[in-house]
Amino acid sequence: QVHLVESGGGSVQAGGSLRVSCAVSGYSYREFRNVCMGWFRQAPGKERERVADIRMVYSARYADSVKDRFTISKDNMKSILYLQMNSLKPEDTAMYYCAADGNPGTDCRRGSYDYWGQGIQVTVSS
């Protein structure tokens, strides 16, 4: 029922910027507005890590490694999740995935991610 499709990846040089998008279907407007969504990334040979998550507009959280460089946001009218990535570093290179909780209204700290996108590659060269 819920489908997530990432777009906007690519290759950039260190210090550059990139915005990835996640188009979401299957939630009503109210559900999307109230659901926890997150961005994750995984590089070859490394564990998947949570980059950022958000439920309501005030609730965004970030991994220390991306804090002050990345911004997660929701367009509730269009049901799109964004990740704006600035000051990119080679260590940001990974496959990036968006994910969503199957239970709208559950706080990101307490919920789980039931739906995942296919992933999109972000490559940062030095």
Side-chain angles (χ1 to χ4, degrees):
Q1 288 293 107
V2 176
H3 299 280
L4 313 176
V5 181
E6 298 97 336
S7 62
S11 182
V12 298
Q13 289 190 315
S17 297
L18 198 65
R19 186 171 78 164
V20 291
S21 303
C22 176
V24 182
S25 62
Y27 291 123
S28 70
Y29 167 82
R30 179 176 176 84
E31 288 170 333
F32 181 80
R33 184 188 64 185
N34 204 30
V35 73
C36 174
M37 299 198 67
W39 284 101
F40 294 77
R41 67 187 182 187
Q42 188 167 29
K46 297 182 179 179
E47 295 182 349
R48 185 178 64 195
E49 65 174 338
R50 177 176 57 80
V51 175
D53 62 19
I54 187 171
R55 191 170 70 89
M56 309 304 290
V57 66
Y58 56 83
S59 66
R61 304 187 300 169
Y62 300 91
D64 288 342
S65 59
V66 307
K67 196 170 299 181
D68 300 323
R69 298 189 298 120
F70 290 12
T71 302
I72 187 171
S73 63
K74 282 178 166 181
D75 184 333
N76 290 328
M77 297 300 297
K78 296 182 178 180
S79 294
I80 300 176
L81 178 74
Y82 296 104
L83 184 68
Q84 177 67 47
M85 300 178 284
N86 298 325
S87 301
L88 283 161
K89 305 174 181 179
E91 49 263 45
D92 295 317
T93 296
M95 187 75 72
Y96 283 71
Y97 300 87
C98 63
D101 201 317
N103 297 107
T106 301
D107 191 86
C108 290
R109 298 168 298 170
R110 302 162 59 193
S112 61
Y113 294 99
D114 302 297
Y115 304 103
W116 294 80
Q118 80 283 1
I120 191 162
Q121 181 68 38
V122 172
T123 301
V124 184
S125 61
S126 59

